[in-house]
Amino acid sequence: MLRTATEGARQATTLAEGAAVLSGLATALPPHRLDQQDVIAHARRIFGARTGLFETLEPVYTNAEIDSRWSCMPLDWFESGTDMPEKTRLYTRHATELAETAALAALRDAGLAPEDIDVLVFVSSTGIATPSIEARLMNRIGFRPDVARLPIFGLGCAGGAMGLARAGQMVAGRPGARCLLIVVELCTLAFRHDSLSKSNLVATALFGDGAAAAVLTGAAAGTEGNAGGIGRLGAAGEHLWPDTLNVMGWGIDPEGFEVIFHRDIPQIVEGRFRAAMEDFCARAGIAPAEIARPCCHPGGVKVLDALEGVFGLPPRGLEAERAVMRDCGNMSAPTVLFVLDRLRRDGATGPHLLTALGPGFTGAFQMLSLGPAQ
């Protein structure tokens, strides 16, 4: 049965009243810092003599407005090819280590111990591990053996916003329940030494590794304020545009993942994102004018330019997003949580709309009121 706008707003309001408090938030980076100028030199050596396309695409590296990225592997690892089994071994090892670092930092930020957690949600799309990464953490961190676990694969760059929504939904209406969300992406392991595709070359200019973790606590219905937390989650939603499966995703073969993304993503944002965002706001009973600021996944310079236009911001108005991209590149799913952490440390308050784009092609939305109750 179709819901009326009033029914949709009523459901969103009910969710907000019994929703989750963001009690802790932390980010983590792997050990190897890759200077963008060094990356350009390596990419020129690896690809320059094998394809005339590199000379055409080299300005992508310099125009990306990225100074550095971080990798679980040193720069010389990219000089030779690695097959899927070896990449899977590296993913399992390094994703577990980075997840542990982010998880413990988020617990410290929330003032909680591992045994206080009731639910673990783990989000990643850059590797496959069974047992999953959060199961492996059970042997490294003192979580209770009865903790509920939810590993999520395939959300891509939208995984940070959608993971936050799923984690919040796990504790919504359960006062005092606590969920630890862990988001890890090791994008650099998808590097393809053998591929001369345009998407692969562009990916080497943009993507890095990173992790973020957040603690969500179930709030009692009607409770005012954030109970000492960072913020309070509100309505969440997503929009999948039809016939856009080829816009973003993975190709998979014996050498591993190979990135797929369409050059028209900025144009899709310019032409179709605002309508989807306004539809979400209408269903949630939110006036767009009430949003203090968006908190966007910085997918790239052109995407940020388009988002600034969508939200009516001046050029370069998404300062936090551009700063995260400059320092860390596009880390896929955790990147929007890096932006959120930067905003809260800069003292941001009021209703914020987290947004990200991922495979499907999907727009993800999560309302979050930062600071004291508004």
Side-chain angles (χ1 to χ4, degrees), residues 3 8 11-13 15-16 19 160-169 172 232-239 277 279-281 283-286 352-354 363-368:
R3 294 179 299 153
Q11 179 175 346
T13 301
L15 174 62
M162 293 172 74
L164 193 66
R166 298 293 182 271
Q169 290 159 1
R232 188 184 183 95
L233 270 66
E238 52 206 72
H239 182 97
M277 182 268 292
D279 180 64
F280 161 73
C281 288
R283 287 184 286 109
I286 301 166
H352 284 61
L353 176 61
L354 273 72
F365 306 98
Q366 172 65 66
M367 286 299 303
L368 175 64

PDB file of all heavy atoms in Angstrom, residues 3 8 11-13 15-16 19 160-169 172 232-239 277 279-281 283-286 352-354 363-368:
ATOM      1  N   ARG A   3       2.029   4.905   0.859  1.00  0.00           N
ATOM      2  CA  ARG A   3       1.832   5.807   1.975  1.00  0.00           C
ATOM      3  C   ARG A   3       1.608   7.223   1.463  1.00  0.00           C
ATOM      4  O   ARG A   3       2.183   7.628   0.463  1.00  0.00           O
ATOM      5  CB  ARG A   3       3.052   5.822   2.900  1.00  0.00           C
ATOM      6  CG  ARG A   3       3.328   4.535   3.616  1.00  0.00           C
ATOM      7  CD  ARG A   3       4.577   4.683   4.466  1.00  0.00           C
ATOM      8  NE  ARG A   3       5.720   4.981   3.625  1.00  0.00           N
ATOM      9  CZ  ARG A   3       6.784   5.642   4.046  1.00  0.00           C
ATOM     10  NH1 ARG A   3       6.845   6.108   5.256  1.00  0.00           N
ATOM     11  NH2 ARG A   3       7.798   5.858   3.228  1.00  0.00           N
ATOM     12  N   GLY A   8       4.111   9.139   5.686  1.00  0.00           N
ATOM     13  CA  GLY A   8       5.568   9.019   5.630  1.00  0.00           C
ATOM     14  C   GLY A   8       6.218   9.913   6.661  1.00  0.00           C
ATOM     15  O   GLY A   8       7.164   9.518   7.342  1.00  0.00           O
ATOM     16  N   GLN A  11       5.771   8.441  10.161  1.00  0.00           N
ATOM     17  CA  GLN A  11       6.683   7.341  10.439  1.00  0.00           C
ATOM     18  C   GLN A  11       8.081   7.863  10.730  1.00  0.00           C
ATOM     19  O   GLN A  11       8.748   7.392  11.647  1.00  0.00           O
ATOM     20  CB  GLN A  11       6.728   6.376   9.261  1.00  0.00           C
ATOM     21  CG  GLN A  11       7.676   5.205   9.475  1.00  0.00           C
ATOM     22  CD  GLN A  11       7.620   4.200   8.350  1.00  0.00           C
ATOM     23  OE1 GLN A  11       6.717   4.214   7.533  1.00  0.00           O
ATOM     24  NE2 GLN A  11       8.596   3.318   8.320  1.00  0.00           N
ATOM     25  N   ALA A  12       8.539   8.865   9.945  1.00  0.00           N
ATOM     26  CA  ALA A  12       9.871   9.416  10.163  1.00  0.00           C
ATOM     27  C   ALA A  12       9.970  10.092  11.518  1.00  0.00           C
ATOM     28  O   ALA A  12      10.974   9.992  12.214  1.00  0.00           O
ATOM     29  CB  ALA A  12      10.209  10.404   9.044  1.00  0.00           C
ATOM     30  N   THR A  13       8.885  10.806  11.913  1.00  0.00           N
ATOM     31  CA  THR A  13       8.888  11.485  13.195  1.00  0.00           C
ATOM     32  C   THR A  13       8.949  10.477  14.343  1.00  0.00           C
ATOM     33  O   THR A  13       9.685  10.643  15.314  1.00  0.00           O
ATOM     34  CB  THR A  13       7.633  12.372  13.339  1.00  0.00           C
ATOM     35  OG1 THR A  13       7.629  13.328  12.283  1.00  0.00           O
ATOM     36  CG2 THR A  13       7.626  13.096  14.673  1.00  0.00           C
ATOM     37  N   LEU A  15      10.232   7.477  14.245  1.00  0.00           N
ATOM     38  CA  LEU A  15      11.590   6.937  14.280  1.00  0.00           C
ATOM     39  C   LEU A  15      12.522   7.895  14.990  1.00  0.00           C
ATOM     40  O   LEU A  15      13.341   7.487  15.813  1.00  0.00           O
ATOM     41  CB  LEU A  15      12.084   6.670  12.856  1.00  0.00           C
ATOM     42  CG  LEU A  15      13.552   6.237  12.720  1.00  0.00           C
ATOM     43  CD1 LEU A  15      13.779   4.924  13.445  1.00  0.00           C
ATOM     44  CD2 LEU A  15      13.938   6.112  11.261  1.00  0.00           C
ATOM     45  N   ALA A  16      12.416   9.193  14.682  1.00  0.00           N
ATOM     46  CA  ALA A  16      13.312  10.171  15.283  1.00  0.00           C
ATOM     47  C   ALA A  16      13.161  10.200  16.803  1.00  0.00           C
ATOM     48  O   ALA A  16      14.127  10.331  17.538  1.00  0.00           O
ATOM     49  CB  ALA A  16      13.057  11.558  14.695  1.00  0.00           C
ATOM     50  N   ALA A  19      14.948   7.210  18.293  1.00  0.00           N
ATOM     51  CA  ALA A  19      16.110   6.910  17.461  1.00  0.00           C
ATOM     52  C   ALA A  19      17.371   6.763  18.301  1.00  0.00           C
ATOM     53  O   ALA A  19      17.327   6.621  19.515  1.00  0.00           O
ATOM     54  CB  ALA A  19      16.285   8.008  16.413  1.00  0.00           C
ATOM     55  N   GLY A 160      29.170   4.343   4.192  1.00  0.00           N
ATOM     56  CA  GLY A 160      29.273   5.082   5.449  1.00  0.00           C
ATOM     57  C   GLY A 160      27.927   5.628   5.891  1.00  0.00           C
ATOM     58  O   GLY A 160      27.510   5.436   7.040  1.00  0.00           O
ATOM     59  N   ALA A 161      27.231   6.302   4.989  1.00  0.00           N
ATOM     60  CA  ALA A 161      25.917   6.865   5.317  1.00  0.00           C
ATOM     61  C   ALA A 161      24.894   5.766   5.555  1.00  0.00           C
ATOM     62  O   ALA A 161      24.112   5.809   6.510  1.00  0.00           O
ATOM     63  CB  ALA A 161      25.461   7.799   4.200  1.00  0.00           C
ATOM     64  N   MET A 162      24.870   4.753   4.673  1.00  0.00           N
ATOM     65  CA  MET A 162      23.891   3.677   4.818  1.00  0.00           C
ATOM     66  C   MET A 162      24.226   2.792   6.018  1.00  0.00           C
ATOM     67  O   MET A 162      23.325   2.286   6.693  1.00  0.00           O
ATOM     68  CB  MET A 162      23.828   2.862   3.528  1.00  0.00           C
ATOM     69  CG  MET A 162      23.256   3.662   2.363  1.00  0.00           C
ATOM     70  SD  MET A 162      23.356   2.821   0.763  1.00  0.00           S
ATOM     71  CE  MET A 162      22.077   1.589   0.952  1.00  0.00           C
ATOM     72  N   GLY A 163      25.501   2.599   6.303  1.00  0.00           N
ATOM     73  CA  GLY A 163      25.879   1.838   7.484  1.00  0.00           C
ATOM     74  C   GLY A 163      25.450   2.538   8.762  1.00  0.00           C
ATOM     75  O   GLY A 163      24.985   1.893   9.713  1.00  0.00           O
ATOM     76  N   LEU A 164      25.600   3.864   8.808  1.00  0.00           N
ATOM     77  CA  LEU A 164      25.154   4.626   9.969  1.00  0.00           C
ATOM     78  C   LEU A 164      23.651   4.468  10.152  1.00  0.00           C
ATOM     79  O   LEU A 164      23.159   4.296  11.273  1.00  0.00           O
ATOM     80  CB  LEU A 164      25.534   6.097   9.802  1.00  0.00           C
ATOM     81  CG  LEU A 164      25.413   6.981  11.041  1.00  0.00           C
ATOM     82  CD1 LEU A 164      26.410   6.556  12.117  1.00  0.00           C
ATOM     83  CD2 LEU A 164      25.633   8.450  10.673  1.00  0.00           C
ATOM     84  N   ALA A 165      22.915   4.496   9.032  1.00  0.00           N
ATOM     85  CA  ALA A 165      21.466   4.317   9.101  1.00  0.00           C
ATOM     86  C   ALA A 165      21.113   2.927   9.614  1.00  0.00           C
ATOM     87  O   ALA A 165      20.240   2.771  10.488  1.00  0.00           O
ATOM     88  CB  ALA A 165      20.855   4.547   7.719  1.00  0.00           C
ATOM     89  N   ARG A 166      21.772   1.886   9.091  1.00  0.00           N
ATOM     90  CA  ARG A 166      21.468   0.521   9.523  1.00  0.00           C
ATOM     91  C   ARG A 166      21.808   0.336  11.006  1.00  0.00           C
ATOM     92  O   ARG A 166      21.064  -0.307  11.743  1.00  0.00           O
ATOM     93  CB  ARG A 166      22.260  -0.492   8.697  1.00  0.00           C
ATOM     94  CG  ARG A 166      21.957  -0.486   7.219  1.00  0.00           C
ATOM     95  CD  ARG A 166      20.547  -0.957   6.895  1.00  0.00           C
ATOM     96  NE  ARG A 166      20.354  -0.978   5.458  1.00  0.00           N
ATOM     97  CZ  ARG A 166      19.914   0.066   4.739  1.00  0.00           C
ATOM     98  NH1 ARG A 166      19.622   1.209   5.357  1.00  0.00           N
ATOM     99  NH2 ARG A 166      19.758  -0.041   3.433  1.00  0.00           N
ATOM    100  N   ALA A 167      22.941   0.878  11.435  1.00  0.00           N
ATOM    101  CA  ALA A 167      23.324   0.765  12.841  1.00  0.00           C
ATOM    102  C   ALA A 167      22.312   1.471  13.736  1.00  0.00           C
ATOM    103  O   ALA A 167      21.931   0.955  14.795  1.00  0.00           O
ATOM    104  CB  ALA A 167      24.720   1.339  13.055  1.00  0.00           C
ATOM    105  N   GLY A 168      21.876   2.661  13.316  1.00  0.00           N
ATOM    106  CA  GLY A 168      20.873   3.378  14.091  1.00  0.00           C
ATOM    107  C   GLY A 168      19.566   2.609  14.178  1.00  0.00           C
ATOM    108  O   GLY A 168      18.911   2.569  15.230  1.00  0.00           O
ATOM    109  N   GLN A 169      19.181   1.968  13.074  1.00  0.00           N
ATOM    110  CA  GLN A 169      17.944   1.196  13.072  1.00  0.00           C
ATOM    111  C   GLN A 169      18.037  -0.029  13.978  1.00  0.00           C
ATOM    112  O   GLN A 169      17.024  -0.508  14.499  1.00  0.00           O
ATOM    113  CB  GLN A 169      17.605   0.786  11.638  1.00  0.00           C
ATOM    114  CG  GLN A 169      17.168   1.968  10.775  1.00  0.00           C
ATOM    115  CD  GLN A 169      17.313   1.715   9.279  1.00  0.00           C
ATOM    116  OE1 GLN A 169      17.720   0.640   8.852  1.00  0.00           O
ATOM    117  NE2 GLN A 169      16.961   2.718   8.484  1.00  0.00           N
ATOM    118  N   ALA A 172      17.277   1.618  17.406  1.00  0.00           N
ATOM    119  CA  ALA A 172      16.124   2.508  17.529  1.00  0.00           C
ATOM    120  C   ALA A 172      14.997   1.788  18.266  1.00  0.00           C
ATOM    121  O   ALA A 172      14.675   0.629  17.979  1.00  0.00           O
ATOM    122  CB  ALA A 172      15.650   2.945  16.139  1.00  0.00           C
ATOM    123  N   ARG A 232      22.233  13.268  17.434  1.00  0.00           N
ATOM    124  CA  ARG A 232      21.069  12.382  17.461  1.00  0.00           C
ATOM    125  C   ARG A 232      20.646  12.081  16.029  1.00  0.00           C
ATOM    126  O   ARG A 232      20.438  12.996  15.232  1.00  0.00           O
ATOM    127  CB  ARG A 232      19.933  13.038  18.230  1.00  0.00           C
ATOM    128  CG  ARG A 232      18.731  12.134  18.500  1.00  0.00           C
ATOM    129  CD  ARG A 232      17.637  12.947  19.185  1.00  0.00           C
ATOM    130  NE  ARG A 232      16.492  12.118  19.523  1.00  0.00           N
ATOM    131  CZ  ARG A 232      16.298  11.545  20.714  1.00  0.00           C
ATOM    132  NH1 ARG A 232      17.187  11.720  21.667  1.00  0.00           N
ATOM    133  NH2 ARG A 232      15.232  10.798  20.952  1.00  0.00           N
ATOM    134  N   LEU A 233      20.547  10.804  15.709  1.00  0.00           N
ATOM    135  CA  LEU A 233      20.118  10.419  14.369  1.00  0.00           C
ATOM    136  C   LEU A 233      18.629  10.683  14.187  1.00  0.00           C
ATOM    137  O   LEU A 233      17.826  10.479  15.107  1.00  0.00           O
ATOM    138  CB  LEU A 233      20.395   8.932  14.115  1.00  0.00           C
ATOM    139  CG  LEU A 233      21.759   8.593  13.512  1.00  0.00           C
ATOM    140  CD1 LEU A 233      22.876   8.914  14.482  1.00  0.00           C
ATOM    141  CD2 LEU A 233      21.817   7.128  13.093  1.00  0.00           C
ATOM    142  N   GLY A 234      18.291  11.151  12.987  1.00  0.00           N
ATOM    143  CA  GLY A 234      16.907  11.316  12.607  1.00  0.00           C
ATOM    144  C   GLY A 234      16.546  10.357  11.489  1.00  0.00           C
ATOM    145  O   GLY A 234      17.030   9.231  11.426  1.00  0.00           O
ATOM    146  N   ALA A 235      15.740  10.823  10.578  1.00  0.00           N
ATOM    147  CA  ALA A 235      15.247   9.977   9.494  1.00  0.00           C
ATOM    148  C   ALA A 235      16.381   9.586   8.550  1.00  0.00           C
ATOM    149  O   ALA A 235      17.345  10.331   8.353  1.00  0.00           O
ATOM    150  CB  ALA A 235      14.155  10.704   8.724  1.00  0.00           C
ATOM    151  N   ALA A 236      16.256   8.417   7.966  1.00  0.00           N
ATOM    152  CA  ALA A 236      17.209   7.925   6.971  1.00  0.00           C
ATOM    153  C   ALA A 236      16.432   7.430   5.763  1.00  0.00           C
ATOM    154  O   ALA A 236      15.271   7.031   5.866  1.00  0.00           O
ATOM    155  CB  ALA A 236      18.067   6.803   7.545  1.00  0.00           C
ATOM    156  N   GLY A 237      17.083   7.468   4.617  1.00  0.00           N
ATOM    157  CA  GLY A 237      16.432   6.971   3.405  1.00  0.00           C
ATOM    158  C   GLY A 237      17.438   6.834   2.287  1.00  0.00           C
ATOM    159  O   GLY A 237      18.611   7.194   2.429  1.00  0.00           O
ATOM    160  N   GLU A 238      16.986   6.305   1.170  1.00  0.00           N
ATOM    161  CA  GLU A 238      17.852   6.144   0.006  1.00  0.00           C
ATOM    162  C   GLU A 238      17.015   6.207  -1.263  1.00  0.00           C
ATOM    163  O   GLU A 238      15.792   6.026  -1.236  1.00  0.00           O
ATOM    164  CB  GLU A 238      18.639   4.840   0.079  1.00  0.00           C
ATOM    165  CG  GLU A 238      17.791   3.617   0.329  1.00  0.00           C
ATOM    166  CD  GLU A 238      18.590   2.515   1.010  1.00  0.00           C
ATOM    167  OE1 GLU A 238      18.906   2.649   2.206  1.00  0.00           O
ATOM    168  OE2 GLU A 238      18.867   1.526   0.327  1.00  0.00           O
ATOM    169  N   HIS A 239      17.696   6.470  -2.355  1.00  0.00           N
ATOM    170  CA  HIS A 239      17.026   6.578  -3.655  1.00  0.00           C
ATOM    171  C   HIS A 239      17.874   5.857  -4.693  1.00  0.00           C
ATOM    172  O   HIS A 239      19.053   6.188  -4.878  1.00  0.00           O
ATOM    173  CB  HIS A 239      16.858   8.050  -4.041  1.00  0.00           C
ATOM    174  CG  HIS A 239      16.137   8.243  -5.340  1.00  0.00           C
ATOM    175  ND1 HIS A 239      14.786   8.517  -5.396  1.00  0.00           N
ATOM    176  CD2 HIS A 239      16.558   8.181  -6.624  1.00  0.00           C
ATOM    177  CE1 HIS A 239      14.418   8.629  -6.665  1.00  0.00           C
ATOM    178  NE2 HIS A 239      15.481   8.424  -7.428  1.00  0.00           N
ATOM    179  N   MET A 277      16.781  14.196  -3.223  1.00  0.00           N
ATOM    180  CA  MET A 277      16.953  14.735  -1.874  1.00  0.00           C
ATOM    181  C   MET A 277      15.659  15.387  -1.381  1.00  0.00           C
ATOM    182  O   MET A 277      15.242  15.183  -0.231  1.00  0.00           O
ATOM    183  CB  MET A 277      18.104  15.750  -1.861  1.00  0.00           C
ATOM    184  CG  MET A 277      18.419  16.342  -0.498  1.00  0.00           C
ATOM    185  SD  MET A 277      17.529  17.897  -0.160  1.00  0.00           S
ATOM    186  CE  MET A 277      18.324  18.993  -1.347  1.00  0.00           C
ATOM    187  N   ASP A 279      12.647  14.659  -2.352  1.00  0.00           N
ATOM    188  CA  ASP A 279      11.676  13.605  -2.113  1.00  0.00           C
ATOM    189  C   ASP A 279      11.919  12.963  -0.754  1.00  0.00           C
ATOM    190  O   ASP A 279      10.966  12.685  -0.003  1.00  0.00           O
ATOM    191  CB  ASP A 279      11.766  12.562  -3.224  1.00  0.00           C
ATOM    192  CG  ASP A 279      10.775  11.428  -3.032  1.00  0.00           C
ATOM    193  OD1 ASP A 279       9.562  11.681  -3.077  1.00  0.00           O
ATOM    194  OD2 ASP A 279      11.223  10.282  -2.821  1.00  0.00           O
ATOM    195  N   PHE A 280      13.179  12.707  -0.419  1.00  0.00           N
ATOM    196  CA  PHE A 280      13.487  12.178   0.912  1.00  0.00           C
ATOM    197  C   PHE A 280      13.008  13.128   1.991  1.00  0.00           C
ATOM    198  O   PHE A 280      12.378  12.708   2.983  1.00  0.00           O
ATOM    199  CB  PHE A 280      14.992  11.938   1.051  1.00  0.00           C
ATOM    200  CG  PHE A 280      15.457  11.846   2.478  1.00  0.00           C
ATOM    201  CD1 PHE A 280      15.173  10.717   3.240  1.00  0.00           C
ATOM    202  CD2 PHE A 280      16.151  12.896   3.074  1.00  0.00           C
ATOM    203  CE1 PHE A 280      15.582  10.639   4.571  1.00  0.00           C
ATOM    204  CE2 PHE A 280      16.555  12.819   4.398  1.00  0.00           C
ATOM    205  CZ  PHE A 280      16.268  11.685   5.151  1.00  0.00           C
ATOM    206  N   CYS A 281      13.302  14.407   1.859  1.00  0.00           N
ATOM    207  CA  CYS A 281      12.893  15.388   2.865  1.00  0.00           C
ATOM    208  C   CYS A 281      11.378  15.430   3.020  1.00  0.00           C
ATOM    209  O   CYS A 281      10.851  15.507   4.142  1.00  0.00           O
ATOM    210  CB  CYS A 281      13.426  16.772   2.494  1.00  0.00           C
ATOM    211  SG  CYS A 281      15.210  16.969   2.697  1.00  0.00           S
ATOM    212  N   ARG A 283       9.216  12.989   2.396  1.00  0.00           N
ATOM    213  CA  ARG A 283       8.760  11.773   3.070  1.00  0.00           C
ATOM    214  C   ARG A 283       9.092  11.792   4.549  1.00  0.00           C
ATOM    215  O   ARG A 283       8.382  11.199   5.361  1.00  0.00           O
ATOM    216  CB  ARG A 283       9.383  10.541   2.398  1.00  0.00           C
ATOM    217  CG  ARG A 283       8.779  10.220   1.033  1.00  0.00           C
ATOM    218  CD  ARG A 283       9.341   8.938   0.429  1.00  0.00           C
ATOM    219  NE  ARG A 283      10.704   9.119  -0.074  1.00  0.00           N
ATOM    220  CZ  ARG A 283      11.785   8.602   0.485  1.00  0.00           C
ATOM    221  NH1 ARG A 283      11.675   7.863   1.579  1.00  0.00           N
ATOM    222  NH2 ARG A 283      12.982   8.793  -0.037  1.00  0.00           N
ATOM    223  N   ALA A 284      10.189  12.467   4.907  1.00  0.00           N
ATOM    224  CA  ALA A 284      10.612  12.531   6.307  1.00  0.00           C
ATOM    225  C   ALA A 284      10.008  13.710   7.057  1.00  0.00           C
ATOM    226  O   ALA A 284      10.231  13.845   8.264  1.00  0.00           O
ATOM    227  CB  ALA A 284      12.135  12.601   6.378  1.00  0.00           C
ATOM    228  N   GLY A 285       9.271  14.555   6.376  1.00  0.00           N
ATOM    229  CA  GLY A 285       8.682  15.718   7.024  1.00  0.00           C
ATOM    230  C   GLY A 285       9.708  16.777   7.381  1.00  0.00           C
ATOM    231  O   GLY A 285       9.569  17.479   8.386  1.00  0.00           O
ATOM    232  N   ILE A 286      10.739  16.926   6.544  1.00  0.00           N
ATOM    233  CA  ILE A 286      11.826  17.884   6.791  1.00  0.00           C
ATOM    234  C   ILE A 286      11.788  18.962   5.709  1.00  0.00           C
ATOM    235  O   ILE A 286      11.729  18.645   4.517  1.00  0.00           O
ATOM    236  CB  ILE A 286      13.194  17.188   6.755  1.00  0.00           C
ATOM    237  CG1 ILE A 286      13.270  16.077   7.799  1.00  0.00           C
ATOM    238  CG2 ILE A 286      14.334  18.197   6.953  1.00  0.00           C
ATOM    239  CD1 ILE A 286      14.441  15.143   7.595  1.00  0.00           C
ATOM    240  N   HIS A 352      22.137  18.231  10.306  1.00  0.00           N
ATOM    241  CA  HIS A 352      23.009  17.966   9.169  1.00  0.00           C
ATOM    242  C   HIS A 352      22.440  16.800   8.360  1.00  0.00           C
ATOM    243  O   HIS A 352      21.869  15.867   8.925  1.00  0.00           O
ATOM    244  CB  HIS A 352      24.428  17.630   9.630  1.00  0.00           C
ATOM    245  CG  HIS A 352      25.218  18.819  10.076  1.00  0.00           C
ATOM    246  ND1 HIS A 352      24.839  19.616  11.141  1.00  0.00           N
ATOM    247  CD2 HIS A 352      26.379  19.365   9.603  1.00  0.00           C
ATOM    248  CE1 HIS A 352      25.729  20.591  11.302  1.00  0.00           C
ATOM    249  NE2 HIS A 352      26.669  20.456  10.382  1.00  0.00           N
ATOM    250  N   LEU A 353      22.629  16.858   7.065  1.00  0.00           N
ATOM    251  CA  LEU A 353      22.172  15.786   6.179  1.00  0.00           C
ATOM    252  C   LEU A 353      23.390  15.095   5.590  1.00  0.00           C
ATOM    253  O   LEU A 353      24.091  15.660   4.751  1.00  0.00           O
ATOM    254  CB  LEU A 353      21.284  16.340   5.062  1.00  0.00           C
ATOM    255  CG  LEU A 353      20.823  15.319   4.009  1.00  0.00           C
ATOM    256  CD1 LEU A 353      19.999  14.208   4.659  1.00  0.00           C
ATOM    257  CD2 LEU A 353      20.029  16.003   2.898  1.00  0.00           C
ATOM    258  N   LEU A 354      23.663  13.863   6.069  1.00  0.00           N
ATOM    259  CA  LEU A 354      24.733  13.063   5.473  1.00  0.00           C
ATOM    260  C   LEU A 354      24.251  12.520   4.132  1.00  0.00           C
ATOM    261  O   LEU A 354      23.138  11.994   4.037  1.00  0.00           O
ATOM    262  CB  LEU A 354      25.109  11.893   6.385  1.00  0.00           C
ATOM    263  CG  LEU A 354      26.147  12.151   7.474  1.00  0.00           C
ATOM    264  CD1 LEU A 354      25.556  12.998   8.585  1.00  0.00           C
ATOM    265  CD2 LEU A 354      26.673  10.839   8.024  1.00  0.00           C
ATOM    266  N   GLY A 363      21.546   7.001  -4.050  1.00  0.00           N
ATOM    267  CA  GLY A 363      21.814   8.121  -3.160  1.00  0.00           C
ATOM    268  C   GLY A 363      21.372   7.751  -1.757  1.00  0.00           C
ATOM    269  O   GLY A 363      20.268   7.225  -1.565  1.00  0.00           O
ATOM    270  N   ALA A 364      22.236   7.968  -0.772  1.00  0.00           N
ATOM    271  CA  ALA A 364      21.938   7.644   0.628  1.00  0.00           C
ATOM    272  C   ALA A 364      21.799   8.930   1.428  1.00  0.00           C
ATOM    273  O   ALA A 364      22.555   9.890   1.224  1.00  0.00           O
ATOM    274  CB  ALA A 364      23.043   6.773   1.217  1.00  0.00           C
ATOM    275  N   PHE A 365      20.837   8.946   2.363  1.00  0.00           N
ATOM    276  CA  PHE A 365      20.547  10.131   3.169  1.00  0.00           C
ATOM    277  C   PHE A 365      20.388   9.732   4.632  1.00  0.00           C
ATOM    278  O   PHE A 365      19.734   8.737   4.945  1.00  0.00           O
ATOM    279  CB  PHE A 365      19.255  10.801   2.696  1.00  0.00           C
ATOM    280  CG  PHE A 365      19.230  11.129   1.230  1.00  0.00           C
ATOM    281  CD1 PHE A 365      18.590  10.277   0.337  1.00  0.00           C
ATOM    282  CD2 PHE A 365      19.859  12.267   0.747  1.00  0.00           C
ATOM    283  CE1 PHE A 365      18.568  10.571  -1.016  1.00  0.00           C
ATOM    284  CE2 PHE A 365      19.854  12.560  -0.605  1.00  0.00           C
ATOM    285  CZ  PHE A 365      19.201  11.709  -1.498  1.00  0.00           C
ATOM    286  N   GLN A 366      20.989  10.507   5.525  1.00  0.00           N
ATOM    287  CA  GLN A 366      20.837  10.288   6.955  1.00  0.00           C
ATOM    288  C   GLN A 366      20.849  11.632   7.671  1.00  0.00           C
ATOM    289  O   GLN A 366      21.836  12.373   7.610  1.00  0.00           O
ATOM    290  CB  GLN A 366      21.966   9.420   7.503  1.00  0.00           C
ATOM    291  CG  GLN A 366      22.001   9.292   9.034  1.00  0.00           C
ATOM    292  CD  GLN A 366      20.805   8.575   9.593  1.00  0.00           C
ATOM    293  OE1 GLN A 366      20.630   7.392   9.349  1.00  0.00           O
ATOM    294  NE2 GLN A 366      19.956   9.278  10.348  1.00  0.00           N
ATOM    295  N   MET A 367      19.750  11.963   8.332  1.00  0.00           N
ATOM    296  CA  MET A 367      19.699  13.187   9.133  1.00  0.00           C
ATOM    297  C   MET A 367      20.385  12.959  10.471  1.00  0.00           C
ATOM    298  O   MET A 367      20.281  11.900  11.090  1.00  0.00           O
ATOM    299  CB  MET A 367      18.253  13.616   9.380  1.00  0.00           C
ATOM    300  CG  MET A 367      17.562  14.217   8.177  1.00  0.00           C
ATOM    301  SD  MET A 367      18.375  15.734   7.552  1.00  0.00           S
ATOM    302  CE  MET A 367      18.355  16.796   9.021  1.00  0.00           C
ATOM    303  N   LEU A 368      21.118  13.971  10.925  1.00  0.00           N
ATOM    304  CA  LEU A 368      21.837  13.901  12.188  1.00  0.00           C
ATOM    305  C   LEU A 368      21.903  15.293  12.782  1.00  0.00           C
ATOM    306  O   LEU A 368      22.402  16.231  12.152  1.00  0.00           O
ATOM    307  CB  LEU A 368      23.255  13.369  11.985  1.00  0.00           C
ATOM    308  CG  LEU A 368      24.181  13.346  13.202  1.00  0.00           C
ATOM    309  CD1 LEU A 368      23.632  12.378  14.256  1.00  0.00           C
ATOM    310  CD2 LEU A 368      25.596  12.945  12.794  1.00  0.00           C
TER     311      LEU A 368
END
